[in-house]
């Protein structure tokens, strides 16, 4: 499993959104390296990580993260993710609760896909495997403020989307479509949690974040202004400030 890291101290594992790689966490590796050890893996098939031949599953991705921590000699870590990375984080909490020191969930949700949403993911998987791409989704991935005022961010997101390998994209779409309801996972957390959401996120809304915050027993909710679904990329200073403050309390 390929990964990038920076800094030292308490381990913070950040799992990337779909369909990106650990490249999306550049602002976090730079901005949080002074307060923790930032570990940013490439999930299956993305970045420098191989896809393998396992059936699509967020549990498989969670197992990959556990193997990486084993290889790096990390017994417990703060584990977090954005969007798809949040789904993998919740799977990790189910499978390896004793290895979680705290949780960060950004622009994600605990509810499973509806039948319609899962069907749409399968259509997207087939389209990508047939030679199409997902660049038409870029306007939905960022907020209105970013679309209007941050052309360089929009360009970066578009480039990251275009560089995603088709096989990994299809595998991840199917893994997300098959993920379970995670509300019981949140209710069972024995560690602190930070829930972050962009105020302008239209894919996993503020209401989704509030529902997760209501489920977890020890939780802090932060709504990030002028940001959409990719808050870590769109407003990295605000994102990092919230995470650093959360880590300082541990």
């Amino acid at each position: 499993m390929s990964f990038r890291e920076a800094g030292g101290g308490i381990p913070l594992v950040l799992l990337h959104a779909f369909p990106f790689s650990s490249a999306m966490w550049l602002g976090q590796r730079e901005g949080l390296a002074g307060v923790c050890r930032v570990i940013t893996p490439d999930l299956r098939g993305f970045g420098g990580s191989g896809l393998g031949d396992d059936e699509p599953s967020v549990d498989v991705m969670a197992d990959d993260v556990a193997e990486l921590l084993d290889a790096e000699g990390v017994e417990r870590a703060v584990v977090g993710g954005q969007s798809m990375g949040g789904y993998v984080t919740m799977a990790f909490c189910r499978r390896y609760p004793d290895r979680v020191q705290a949780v960060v969930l950004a622009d994600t949700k605990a509810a499973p896909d509806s039948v319609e949403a899962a069907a749409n993911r399968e259509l997207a998987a087939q389209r990508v495997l047939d030679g199409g791409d997902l660049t038409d989704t870029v306007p939905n991935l960022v907020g209105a403020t970013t679309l209007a005022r941050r052309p360089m961010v929009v360009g970066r997101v578009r480039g990251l989307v275009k560089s995603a390998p088709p096989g990994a994209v299809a595998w991840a779409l199917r893994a997300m479509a098959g993920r379970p309801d995670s509300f019981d996972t949140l209710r069972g957390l024995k560690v602190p949690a930070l829930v972050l959401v962009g105020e302008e996120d239209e894919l996993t809304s503020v209401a989704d974040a509030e529902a997760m915050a209501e489920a977890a027993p020890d939780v802090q909710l932060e709504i990030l202004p002028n940001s959409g679904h990719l808050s870590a990329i769109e407003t990295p200073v605000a994102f990092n400030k919230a995470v650093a403050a959360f880590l300082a309390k541990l």
Side-chain angles (χ1 to χ4, degrees), residues 11 14 185 239:
L14 293 175
T185 303
F239 185 100

Side-chain angles (χ1 to χ4, degrees), residues 94-121:
R94 281 192 294 275
R95 297 172 76 78
Y96 304 98
D98 293 340
R99 305 196 68 170
V100 180
Q101 186 172 351
V103 177
V104 178
L105 297 168
D107 300 284
T108 190
K109 60 183 178 181
D113 272 3
S114 65
V115 173
E116 180 183 6
N120 287 337
R121 290 197 199 272

